[in-house]
Amino acid sequence: MRNIALAAVLAGTVFATPTLAQETPQSGFRIEGVAGYDRPNISGEHANGVTYGLGAGYDFQAGRAIVGVEGEATDSSADRCASDVNVTGDRLCVTAGRDLYVGGRVGAQVAPNVLLYAKAGYSNAWVGANYEDGTAATLADFRSHRDLDGVRGGAGVQVGIGRNAYVKTEYRYSNYQDGVDRNQVVAGFGFRF
């Protein structure tokens, strides 16, 4: 009887191995492109735009759990202009630019090729302003930009397509100094090496 049970366990292991081999690996180095909706908010005023960029990371897998580190560099098309701010005919434009992020993520593999995860880390955003008072070039006109430090949190789902490729969708919220924050929903396509 023990021999039959041992034979059944060995047979189950042999036949289960190809199924496990089809699972998408969740560990190792990865690189990805991201693009999506960007909504920066400055003191109650918001703009809508598109964010796009590149990211890279490294994940460690233990059973169905993953822990990883990641970084990302993106740019944004979001900007907003207002007229008659201080005097009739003047114009103020605020632009959201590049955003740098470094952080970590934790997740769980909920199906052979599906990963749910949460992320958190440091973010640094560039915000520019351009003011023209509506007359010929004067001392009142200015251009300036600031680098703003902040934190980012988010959550997403990543789905393996093939052995090394994946797609993902992610929501993230970033909160910067000086009353600036942003909401983003992005999609990504990446490769794991």
Side-chain angles (χ1 to χ4, degrees), residues 83-104:
S83 297
D84 303 329
V85 177
N86 292 321
V87 295
T88 302
D90 69 353
R91 185 170 177 85
L92 173 65
C93 293
V94 178
T95 304
R98 68 109 185 104
D99 191 10
L100 303 175
Y101 165 78
V102 63

mmCIF file of all heavy atoms in Angstrom, residues 83-104:
data_model
loop_
_atom_site.group_PDB
_atom_site.id
_atom_site.type_symbol
_atom_site.label_atom_id
_atom_site.label_comp_id
_atom_site.label_asym_id
_atom_site.label_seq_id
_atom_site.Cartn_x
_atom_site.Cartn_y
_atom_site.Cartn_z
ATOM 1 N N SER A 83 -6.001 83.664 -17.523
ATOM 2 C CA SER A 83 -5.831 85.050 -17.964
ATOM 3 C C SER A 83 -6.440 86.003 -16.938
ATOM 4 O O SER A 83 -7.295 85.607 -16.139
ATOM 5 C CB SER A 83 -6.509 85.255 -19.322
ATOM 6 O OG SER A 83 -5.898 84.449 -20.289
ATOM 7 N N ASP A 84 -6.007 87.245 -17.000
ATOM 8 C CA ASP A 84 -6.507 88.296 -16.111
ATOM 9 C C ASP A 84 -6.340 87.907 -14.637
ATOM 10 O O ASP A 84 -7.254 88.062 -13.824
ATOM 11 C CB ASP A 84 -7.982 88.610 -16.417
ATOM 12 C CG ASP A 84 -8.189 89.026 -17.863
ATOM 13 O OD1 ASP A 84 -7.263 89.625 -18.448
ATOM 14 O OD2 ASP A 84 -9.261 88.731 -18.420
ATOM 15 N N VAL A 85 -5.164 87.422 -14.292
ATOM 16 C CA VAL A 85 -4.892 86.980 -12.922
ATOM 17 C C VAL A 85 -4.687 88.176 -12.005
ATOM 18 O O VAL A 85 -5.316 88.280 -10.957
ATOM 19 C CB VAL A 85 -3.651 86.051 -12.894
ATOM 20 C CG1 VAL A 85 -3.303 85.648 -11.473
ATOM 21 C CG2 VAL A 85 -3.877 84.842 -13.770
ATOM 22 N N ASN A 86 -3.768 89.080 -12.382
ATOM 23 C CA ASN A 86 -3.487 90.276 -11.576
ATOM 24 C C ASN A 86 -3.977 91.546 -12.238
ATOM 25 O O ASN A 86 -4.466 92.447 -11.565
ATOM 26 C CB ASN A 86 -1.979 90.404 -11.295
ATOM 27 C CG ASN A 86 -1.481 89.306 -10.375
ATOM 28 O OD1 ASN A 86 -2.159 88.931 -9.436
ATOM 29 N ND2 ASN A 86 -0.291 88.803 -10.656
ATOM 30 N N VAL A 87 -3.813 91.630 -13.559
ATOM 31 C CA VAL A 87 -4.264 92.796 -14.325
ATOM 32 C C VAL A 87 -4.916 92.303 -15.612
ATOM 33 O O VAL A 87 -4.680 91.171 -16.050
ATOM 34 C CB VAL A 87 -3.088 93.755 -14.666
ATOM 35 C CG1 VAL A 87 -2.499 94.369 -13.401
ATOM 36 C CG2 VAL A 87 -2.035 93.066 -15.481
ATOM 37 N N THR A 88 -5.718 93.133 -16.229
ATOM 38 C CA THR A 88 -6.374 92.763 -17.481
ATOM 39 C C THR A 88 -5.311 92.498 -18.555
ATOM 40 O O THR A 88 -4.401 93.302 -18.745
ATOM 41 C CB THR A 88 -7.318 93.893 -17.942
ATOM 42 O OG1 THR A 88 -8.273 94.135 -16.918
ATOM 43 C CG2 THR A 88 -8.028 93.520 -19.227
ATOM 44 N N GLY A 89 -5.439 91.354 -19.204
ATOM 45 C CA GLY A 89 -4.520 91.008 -20.291
ATOM 46 C C GLY A 89 -3.322 90.162 -19.872
ATOM 47 O O GLY A 89 -2.559 89.721 -20.727
ATOM 48 N N ASP A 90 -3.131 89.941 -18.570
ATOM 49 C CA ASP A 90 -1.984 89.110 -18.177
ATOM 50 C C ASP A 90 -2.329 87.630 -18.335
ATOM 51 O O ASP A 90 -3.485 87.253 -18.542
ATOM 52 C CB ASP A 90 -1.518 89.420 -16.757
ATOM 53 C CG ASP A 90 -2.504 88.978 -15.681
ATOM 54 O OD1 ASP A 90 -3.620 88.542 -16.026
ATOM 55 O OD2 ASP A 90 -2.161 89.071 -14.493
ATOM 56 N N ARG A 91 -1.306 86.780 -18.273
ATOM 57 C CA ARG A 91 -1.495 85.335 -18.463
ATOM 58 C C ARG A 91 -0.488 84.569 -17.608
ATOM 59 O O ARG A 91 0.706 84.844 -17.632
ATOM 60 C CB ARG A 91 -1.316 84.980 -19.932
ATOM 61 C CG ARG A 91 -1.598 83.540 -20.276
ATOM 62 C CD ARG A 91 -1.615 83.397 -21.797
ATOM 63 N NE ARG A 91 -1.800 82.041 -22.216
ATOM 64 C CZ ARG A 91 -2.972 81.435 -22.353
ATOM 65 N NH1 ARG A 91 -4.079 82.113 -22.090
ATOM 66 N NH2 ARG A 91 -3.051 80.191 -22.755
ATOM 67 N N LEU A 92 -0.995 83.581 -16.854
ATOM 68 C CA LEU A 92 -0.167 82.722 -16.025
ATOM 69 C C LEU A 92 -0.396 81.277 -16.464
ATOM 70 O O LEU A 92 -1.536 80.816 -16.502
ATOM 71 C CB LEU A 92 -0.522 82.873 -14.546
ATOM 72 C CG LEU A 92 0.171 81.902 -13.586
ATOM 73 C CD1 LEU A 92 1.680 82.155 -13.557
ATOM 74 C CD2 LEU A 92 -0.426 81.999 -12.190
ATOM 75 N N CYS A 93 0.688 80.588 -16.796
ATOM 76 C CA CYS A 93 0.614 79.179 -17.178
ATOM 77 C C CYS A 93 1.476 78.355 -16.225
ATOM 78 O O CYS A 93 2.621 78.724 -15.940
ATOM 79 C CB CYS A 93 1.112 78.965 -18.605
ATOM 80 S SG CYS A 93 0.043 79.714 -19.849
ATOM 81 N N VAL A 94 0.917 77.256 -15.742
ATOM 82 C CA VAL A 94 1.629 76.331 -14.865
ATOM 83 C C VAL A 94 1.712 74.993 -15.584
ATOM 84 O O VAL A 94 0.724 74.512 -16.137
ATOM 85 C CB VAL A 94 0.919 76.177 -13.507
ATOM 86 C CG1 VAL A 94 1.635 75.169 -12.631
ATOM 87 C CG2 VAL A 94 0.815 77.529 -12.807
ATOM 88 N N THR A 95 2.896 74.401 -15.588
ATOM 89 C CA THR A 95 3.157 73.165 -16.314
ATOM 90 C C THR A 95 3.720 72.111 -15.372
ATOM 91 O O THR A 95 4.631 72.396 -14.598
ATOM 92 C CB THR A 95 4.184 73.417 -17.437
ATOM 93 O OG1 THR A 95 3.692 74.447 -18.275
ATOM 94 C CG2 THR A 95 4.435 72.170 -18.255
ATOM 95 N N ALA A 96 3.186 70.902 -15.459
ATOM 96 C CA ALA A 96 3.763 69.759 -14.737
ATOM 97 C C ALA A 96 4.723 69.069 -15.696
ATOM 98 O O ALA A 96 4.372 68.776 -16.831
ATOM 99 C CB ALA A 96 2.670 68.794 -14.296
ATOM 100 N N GLY A 97 5.927 68.808 -15.229
ATOM 101 C CA GLY A 97 6.925 68.200 -16.100
ATOM 102 C C GLY A 97 7.348 66.839 -15.609
ATOM 103 O O GLY A 97 6.544 66.045 -15.143
ATOM 104 N N ARG A 98 8.637 66.595 -15.652
ATOM 105 C CA ARG A 98 9.171 65.268 -15.332
ATOM 106 C C ARG A 98 8.927 64.896 -13.872
ATOM 107 O O ARG A 98 8.790 65.741 -13.005
ATOM 108 C CB ARG A 98 10.648 65.195 -15.686
ATOM 109 C CG ARG A 98 11.526 66.058 -14.815
ATOM 110 C CD ARG A 98 12.378 65.226 -13.876
ATOM 111 N NE ARG A 98 13.114 66.085 -12.986
ATOM 112 C CZ ARG A 98 12.778 66.258 -11.720
ATOM 113 N NH1 ARG A 98 11.734 65.684 -11.209
ATOM 114 N NH2 ARG A 98 13.505 67.032 -10.953
ATOM 115 N N ASP A 99 8.830 63.596 -13.661
ATOM 116 C CA ASP A 99 8.600 63.053 -12.331
ATOM 117 C C ASP A 99 9.533 61.860 -12.137
ATOM 118 O O ASP A 99 9.552 60.952 -12.967
ATOM 119 C CB ASP A 99 7.137 62.614 -12.195
ATOM 120 C CG ASP A 99 6.735 62.285 -10.772
ATOM 121 O OD1 ASP A 99 7.515 62.558 -9.845
ATOM 122 O OD2 ASP A 99 5.626 61.758 -10.591
ATOM 123 N N LEU A 100 10.325 61.877 -11.080
ATOM 124 C CA LEU A 100 11.236 60.773 -10.762
ATOM 125 C C LEU A 100 10.713 60.049 -9.534
ATOM 126 O O LEU A 100 10.275 60.700 -8.573
ATOM 127 C CB LEU A 100 12.644 61.303 -10.488
ATOM 128 C CG LEU A 100 13.278 62.121 -11.602
ATOM 129 C CD1 LEU A 100 14.621 62.694 -11.148
ATOM 130 C CD2 LEU A 100 13.447 61.292 -12.862
ATOM 131 N N TYR A 101 10.757 58.719 -9.549
ATOM 132 C CA TYR A 101 10.227 57.925 -8.443
ATOM 133 C C TYR A 101 11.179 56.780 -8.133
ATOM 134 O O TYR A 101 11.742 56.147 -9.039
ATOM 135 C CB TYR A 101 8.857 57.355 -8.841
ATOM 136 C CG TYR A 101 8.379 56.250 -7.938
ATOM 137 C CD1 TYR A 101 7.832 56.531 -6.692
ATOM 138 C CD2 TYR A 101 8.474 54.920 -8.329
ATOM 139 C CE1 TYR A 101 7.397 55.512 -5.854
ATOM 140 C CE2 TYR A 101 8.036 53.898 -7.493
ATOM 141 C CZ TYR A 101 7.498 54.205 -6.264
ATOM 142 O OH TYR A 101 7.077 53.195 -5.441
ATOM 143 N N VAL A 102 11.362 56.503 -6.844
ATOM 144 C CA VAL A 102 12.082 55.316 -6.388
ATOM 145 C C VAL A 102 11.349 54.789 -5.153
ATOM 146 O O VAL A 102 10.959 55.567 -4.283
ATOM 147 C CB VAL A 102 13.572 55.605 -6.099
ATOM 148 C CG1 VAL A 102 13.747 56.603 -4.972
ATOM 149 C CG2 VAL A 102 14.330 54.343 -5.805
ATOM 150 N N GLY A 103 11.116 53.479 -5.142
ATOM 151 C CA GLY A 103 10.369 52.916 -4.026
ATOM 152 C C GLY A 103 10.360 51.408 -4.056
ATOM 153 O O GLY A 103 11.209 50.769 -4.679
ATOM 154 N N GLY A 104 9.376 50.859 -3.395
ATOM 155 C CA GLY A 104 9.261 49.417 -3.311
ATOM 156 C C GLY A 104 7.833 48.982 -3.534
ATOM 157 O O GLY A 104 6.911 49.788 -3.551
#
